Amino acid sequence: MKKVLEILQNGENDYRFDTDIDLRKNPEVLQDLLNGVSFAMATKLWGGNEQAVLAIIRILAMADLALSVNRKEMLKQMDDISSVLAKAMTDASRHFERGGGKIKVFGPGVMPPKSRS
């Protein structure tokens, strides 16, 4: 198992971040990570804690933007990349459904039934 991101809080304002990913050795890992994480967020349930996980991811993004030297450029880049990814994921879903697949969406905190009929 690889640690993508670990955030530990040690005291009121002491946060520690860690990862097993080494971008100096393998910068291409970011594209793979983007694709894998996007697919996981779209297809997997996280045990009912989706709202908290998504809120923390958004907080990390906001903190990063707050510290950015060029917020507008960073937002534009994030918008451009996420737009391309959203289109690709929508196209993949449509292709899957055209091929006879069915997509069922569960809301936050809702687990799928344990048995399928």
Side-chain angles (χ1 to χ4, degrees):
M1 186 170 282
K2 185 187 307 181
K3 184 187 323 174
V4 174
L5 178 62
E6 177 181 58
I7 306 169
L8 298 174
Q9 183 177 2
N10 182 26
E12 193 171 323
N13 293 309
D14 183 11
Y15 294 89
R16 309 283 170 100
F17 300 85
D18 194 19
T19 183
D20 291 340
I21 296 170
D22 187 347
L23 296 178
R24 293 170 297 193
K25 290 182 181 175
N26 185 8
E28 298 83 30
V29 74
L30 289 180
Q31 184 62 49
D32 295 339
L33 187 60
L34 176 61
N35 294 336
V37 168
S38 297
F39 184 75
M41 289 176 75
T43 60
K44 293 184 173 93
L45 294 172
W46 307 327
N49 62 349
E50 298 89 349
Q51 288 178 319
V53 169
L54 289 172
I56 292 168
I57 290 170
R58 290 180 179 126
I59 285 169
L60 288 169
M62 286 184 269
D64 187 31
L65 281 167
L67 298 170
S68 176
V69 174
N70 190 341
R71 286 184 67 250
K72 287 185 180 181
E73 182 58 34
M74 188 175 185
L75 282 167
K76 182 179 178 339
Q77 184 180 35
M78 290 172 80
D79 185 45
D80 293 346
I81 293 169
S82 63
S83 177
V84 169
L85 184 59
K87 182 181 180 330
M89 293 187 77
T90 300
D91 291 347
S93 295
R94 286 184 183 143
H95 180 73
F96 178 71
E97 288 177 322
R98 280 189 211 121
K102 293 187 182 189
I103 297 174
K104 180 156 181 139
V105 177
F106 295 95
V110 177
M111 299 296 285
K114 292 187 181 198
S115 63
R116 303 210 178 223
S117 54

